Amino acid sequence: MFTERIAGGFACPKDFEAISSALRTSRAEAEKDKRRSVALSAKLASTERRLGELTLRIHAAEQQLQKATEYADEEHSKRMQAQDLAERREAALVQQLIDAQNALGCARDLATKREAELQEQCYETRQRKLWERMAAHQAGVLTSKHWLA
């Protein structure tokens, strides 16, 4: 077809050489573009593979993060429960201490009262014995030896 145009007088041999050269250059550039296209396609495929790998790694990391978060939440819950239990135990021990102090105060009061009663009984017994000895002495039953006993 190209040669028909030349034969028909549409182009001269110089034009034919220029057109042939332009055609060769165009083919060379097309071949270069084709190679670039193949290289870019390979690079795109490689990039897509890397993107897929990274997506999988991100998904795995998200799952690990979720598991770690759940574990941390569970541990926090356990610590809070343990702290609550410790606070309740502490409150119970404080209440037991208060109750023990109150019981000790009551026991001291009772002991003091009993001691006072015993001292009073002891005093009354001494007084009664003293009166009995005096009465026995006056009756002549006791001698001075008996007073020392």
Side-chain angles (χ1 to χ4, degrees):
M1 181 160 126
F2 187 70
T3 55
E4 289 175 5
R5 286 190 183 157
I6 292 174
F10 291 110
C12 67
K14 281 187 178 182
D15 289 338
F16 178 72
E17 284 181 30
I19 291 172
S20 292
S21 174
L23 185 59
R24 280 191 301 272
T25 304
S26 176
R27 283 183 183 159
E29 287 178 7
E31 191 62 34
K32 233 194 249 182
D33 288 346
K34 186 178 177 184
R35 283 191 303 266
R36 262 192 245 144
S37 175
V38 169
L40 288 175
S41 292
K43 190 171 183 176
L44 177 62
S46 172
T47 303
E48 286 175 344
R49 275 193 308 276
R50 286 186 60 216
L51 179 62
E53 291 170 2
L54 290 175
T55 301
L56 290 175
R57 288 173 66 188
I58 288 171
H59 181 67
E62 286 173 344
Q63 287 178 337
Q64 288 178 342
L65 178 62
Q66 183 179 0
K67 286 179 184 177
T69 301
E70 289 171 1
Y71 178 76
D73 289 345
E74 289 174 11
E75 288 300 311
H76 177 71
S77 176
K78 288 177 185 176
R79 279 193 300 276
M80 293 304 290
Q81 289 174 354
Q83 183 179 354
D84 184 49
L85 179 62
E87 288 173 356
R88 283 189 274 137
R89 284 182 180 167
E90 182 183 8
L93 289 173
V94 167
Q95 186 59 47
Q96 287 177 354
L97 178 62
I98 290 169
D99 293 345
Q101 287 174 338
N102 290 339
L104 181 61
C106 290
R108 282 185 186 148
D109 292 345
L110 288 173
T112 303
K113 184 179 177 183
R114 181 67 179 144
E115 183 182 9
E117 289 173 357
L118 289 175
Q119 285 179 355
E120 188 177 330
Q121 285 176 358
C122 189
Y123 177 75
E124 289 174 359
T125 303
R126 278 194 222 133
Q127 286 296 328
R128 188 177 34 87
K129 284 186 178 184
L130 182 61
W131 285 107
E132 288 174 357
R133 285 183 183 163
M134 285 176 59
H137 183 67
Q138 286 177 353
V141 176
L142 288 177
T143 62
S144 60
K145 230 190 323 181
H146 291 101
W147 281 97
L148 298 174

